[in-house]
């Protein structure tokens, strides 16, 4: 057997103890040029970088969950349990009539499924493709929209937000007119800016995209912390939303490790996406765990309430620091600009790391994010630690 571990697609293919290195000719060139997604090592760190729920299960709930999971038939493929989870989520979200729900292994998988559903493949070798469909999203935004589009052979168009991270409506509409995207993603609230975009702008984009049969996917990953859900708009005016899909996840709710995303849409669309969903994409353990969590939804909504209170306290504290500007958040994170050049934000980021606090340095992700770090809201104790560290760093670096 080969005694080495491939780290990524750039790992050396020599020293195999054999002259036969693997032949990668059938691996796509664009994939060979990519880097694998790296999850930062956060051992020993206060982890405030990934919008996870900071609260772990109480010992009592942990023990109950353990007992529940012990009863799960892990020798069987997922079946009835997954149907129960769909019913529980439909009930939890308040599914409108005529709507259905698709489960994904996190929203990430749903984004891939949507791409697959829209990507064109030649039906007959002799018939060339008319055009490559496109995915459009405001930027800076959630990176998986573009990554997934490119992987599925779809064009990707990013449209810059305004400097206050509001939608640039004229630019969005003209990009929609020019590219006629198959899918427009609107994260509501957005990541990393954490704001809700203007309702009127979203309505106009939905109207324009619907006119030619495109899809608008409203991504509500941060819904537990937001003051408004687009589901209410769908319920109030289903006709205007026939081309709208709503995507949610249990990750930010409190189950990031469990990997459950769900897509809500008119039943006819859901039926199409169901055709391409891998049959057993949600494991029995994940489904049981999510069912258990939904049976204790009040525990998680209490946590969301605390996180929202904490978010406001952090924002208030930061707004009093010189040269620090927190942006208004409707998520469980706060985008913060450290004024001056980018190096100041980087120094703060590195300084926090030295203090064993991990946040996300987004300052190089997009020009609009110059000087910005994204702070995930933690427990009250964690936030106090973060703020004390920031006070100290701002005082020492200014
Ligand atoms: C806007 C947005 N959508 C979707 C996701 C992915 O969620 P999941 O954990 O369900 O894959 C994230 C993750 O951070 C996100 O920020």
């Amino acid at each position: 057997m080969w005694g080495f571990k491939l780290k990524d697609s750039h790992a050396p293919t020599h020293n195999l103890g054999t002259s036969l290195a693997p032949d990668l000719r059938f691996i796509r060139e664009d994939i060979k040029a990519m880097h694998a997604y790296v999850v930062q090592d956060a051992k020993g760190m206060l982890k405030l970088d990934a919008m996870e729920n900071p609260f772990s299960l109480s010992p009592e709930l942990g023990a109950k969950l353990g007992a529940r999971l012990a009863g799960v038939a892990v020798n069987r493929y997922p079946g009835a349990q997954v149907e129960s989870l769909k019913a529980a989520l439909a009930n939890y979200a308040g599914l409108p009539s005529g709507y259905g729900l698709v489960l994904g292994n996190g929203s990430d998988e749903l984004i891939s499924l949507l791409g697959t559903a829209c990507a064109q493949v030649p039906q007959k070798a002799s018939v060339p493709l008319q055009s490559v469909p496109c995915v459009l999203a405001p930027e800076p935004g959630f990176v998986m929209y573009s990554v997934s589009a490119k992987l599925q052979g779809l064009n990707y168009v990013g449209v810059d937000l305004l400097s206050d991270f509001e939608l640039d409506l004229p630019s969005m509409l003209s990009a929609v007119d020019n590219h006629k995207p198959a899918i427009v993603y609107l994260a509501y609230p957005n990541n990393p800016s954490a704001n809700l975009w203007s309702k009127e702008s979203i309505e106009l984009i939905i109207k324009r995209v619907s006119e030619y049969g495109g899809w608008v996917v409203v991504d509500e990953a941060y819904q537990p912390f937001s003051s408004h859900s687009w589901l209410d708009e769908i319920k109030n005016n289903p006709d205007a939303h026939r081309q709208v899909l709503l995507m949610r996840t249990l990750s930010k709710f409190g189950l990031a490790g469990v990997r459950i995303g769900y897509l809500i849409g008119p039943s006819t669309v859901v039926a199409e996406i169901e055709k391409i969903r891998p049959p057993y994409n949600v494991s029995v353990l994940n489904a049981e765990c999510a069912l258990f969590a939904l049976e204790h939804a009040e525990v998680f909504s209490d946590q969301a309430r605390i996180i929202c209170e904490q978010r406001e306290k952090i924002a208030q504290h930061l707004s009093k620091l010189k040269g620090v500007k927190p942006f208004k958040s409707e998520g469980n994170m706060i985008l913060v600009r450290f004024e001056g050049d980018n190096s100041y934000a980087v120094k703060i980021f590195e300084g926090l790391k030295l203090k064993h606090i991990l946040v996300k340095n987004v300052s190089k992700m997009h020009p609009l994010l110059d000087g910005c770090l994204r702070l995930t809201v933690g427990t009250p104790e964690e936030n106090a630690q973060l703020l004390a560290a920031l006070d100290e760093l701002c005082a020492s670096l200014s």
Side-chain angles (χ1 to χ4, degrees):
M1 291 302 287
W2 295 342
F4 78 106
K5 210 170 149 205
L6 270 180
K7 269 209 226 109
D8 60 30
S9 52
H10 297 291
T13 50
H14 48 261
N15 292 338
L16 301 181
T18 161
S19 57
L20 277 182
D23 186 338
L24 302 181
R25 85 179 74 182
F26 287 115
I27 306 282
R28 280 162 45 175
E29 290 306 322
D30 58 335
I31 290 180
K32 279 189 271 187
M34 281 172 70
H35 292 279
Y37 187 87
V38 178
V39 177
Q40 283 202 71
D41 183 10
K43 212 163 153 223
M45 304 286 274
L46 177 50
K47 201 169 176 316
L48 300 175
D49 63 329
M51 285 84 78
E52 292 144 327
N53 177 333
F55 298 102
S56 44
L57 283 184
S58 67
E60 193 205 348
L61 275 189
K64 277 190 185 165
L65 175 60
R68 270 283 279 277
L69 294 181
V72 171
V74 291
N75 55 321
R76 302 285 176 204
Y77 283 112
Q81 234 162 352
V82 171
E83 291 310 310
S84 306
L85 175 58
K86 278 169 79 171
L89 280 170
N91 183 41
Y92 172 74
L95 206 65
S97 76
Y99 276 65
L101 188 148
V102 189
L103 290 182
N105 195 267
S107 316
D108 287 350
E109 187 185 41
L110 293 168
I111 295 169
S112 297
L113 293 182
L114 286 166
T116 305
C118 296
Q120 298 290 315
V121 284
Q123 303 295 314
K124 287 189 197 140
S126 56
V127 181
L129 288 178
Q130 293 301 313
S131 63
V132 176
C134 138
V135 168
L136 185 146
E139 287 193 341
F142 183 45
V143 68
M144 286 309 288
Y145 307 144
S146 63
V147 170
S148 169
K150 288 170 195 162
L151 281 175
Q152 319 218 238
L154 297 158
N155 285 333
Y156 173 77
V157 175
V159 178
D160 282 355
L161 293 167
L162 299 171
S163 59
D164 60 355
F165 301 109
E166 181 51 78
L167 287 171
D168 181 345
L169 185 63
S171 300
M172 283 294 288
L173 292 179
S174 97
V176 165
D177 291 344
N178 287 339
H179 301 280
K180 300 267 185 302
I183 303 173
V184 174
Y185 281 103
L186 296 177
Y188 190 78
N190 187 39
N191 171 18
S193 50
N195 57 328
L196 290 178
W197 290 316
S198 133
K199 195 165 163 279
E200 292 69 34
S201 297
I202 295 180
E203 281 167 355
L204 286 170
I205 293 166
I206 290 175
K207 186 167 178 291
R208 194 70 72 91
V209 173
S210 305
E211 278 165 8
Y212 64 86
W215 297 102
V216 174
V217 179
V218 179
D219 180 352
E220 290 199 343
Y222 300 95
Q223 174 272 330
F225 318 100
S226 168
S227 59
H228 184 236
S229 165
W230 206 264
L231 193 54
D232 294 336
E233 306 303 318
I234 296 177
K235 286 179 184 165
N236 288 340
N237 193 351
D239 284 347
H241 290 93
R242 66 186 189 286
Q243 295 297 118
V244 174
L245 305 169
L246 191 95
M247 190 166 68
R248 288 196 182 163
T249 175
L250 291 184
S251 292
K252 316 300 168 182
F253 169 91
L255 302 183
V258 175
R259 311 303 299 133
I260 302 283
Y262 56 109
L263 184 78
I264 293 174
S267 303
T268 44
V269 194
V270 162
E272 297 302 320
I273 311 288
E274 270 295 316
K275 294 177 191 170
I276 50 174
R277 182 181 61 79
Y280 305 122
N281 64 333
V282 173
S283 87
V284 282
L285 293 175
N286 293 5
E288 194 65 31
C289 200
L291 274 168
F292 178 84
L294 290 172
E295 286 161 23
H296 298 88
E298 71 292 346
V299 173
F300 295 90
S301 65
D302 271 354
Q303 294 172 351
R305 186 185 41 76
I306 297 170
I307 289 169
C308 290
E309 285 166 10
Q310 286 292 309
R311 175 184 73 198
E312 299 317 312
K313 281 192 180 162
I314 297 173
Q316 262 182 29
H317 185 111
L318 293 177
S319 60
K320 290 190 194 125
L321 293 181
K322 202 169 145 265
V324 179
K325 176 179 163 51
F327 289 88
K328 164 121 187 70
S329 167
E330 296 267 352
N332 61 343
M333 71 291 212
I334 304 181
L335 184 71
V336 185
R337 172 158 290 132
F338 293 84
E339 277 153 20
D341 63 17
N342 242 347
S343 66
Y344 185 47
V346 174
K347 278 183 201 151
I348 299 276
F349 172 74
E350 294 298 344
L352 286 173
K353 239 168 134 180
L354 286 174
K355 292 175 184 291
H356 305 286
I357 300 175
L358 190 62
V359 300
K360 181 87 174 171
N361 176 9
V362 292
S363 64
K364 295 190 188 79
M365 282 171 56
H366 189 279
L368 285 173
L369 294 172
D370 257 11
C372 289
L373 302 181
R374 190 190 63 199
L375 316 177
T376 299
V377 179
T379 62
E381 298 73 28
E382 290 172 345
N383 301 330
Q385 200 181 326
L386 170 72
L387 291 177
L390 283 171
D391 284 351
E392 213 180 298
L393 286 167
C394 288
S396 67
L397 292 170
S398 61

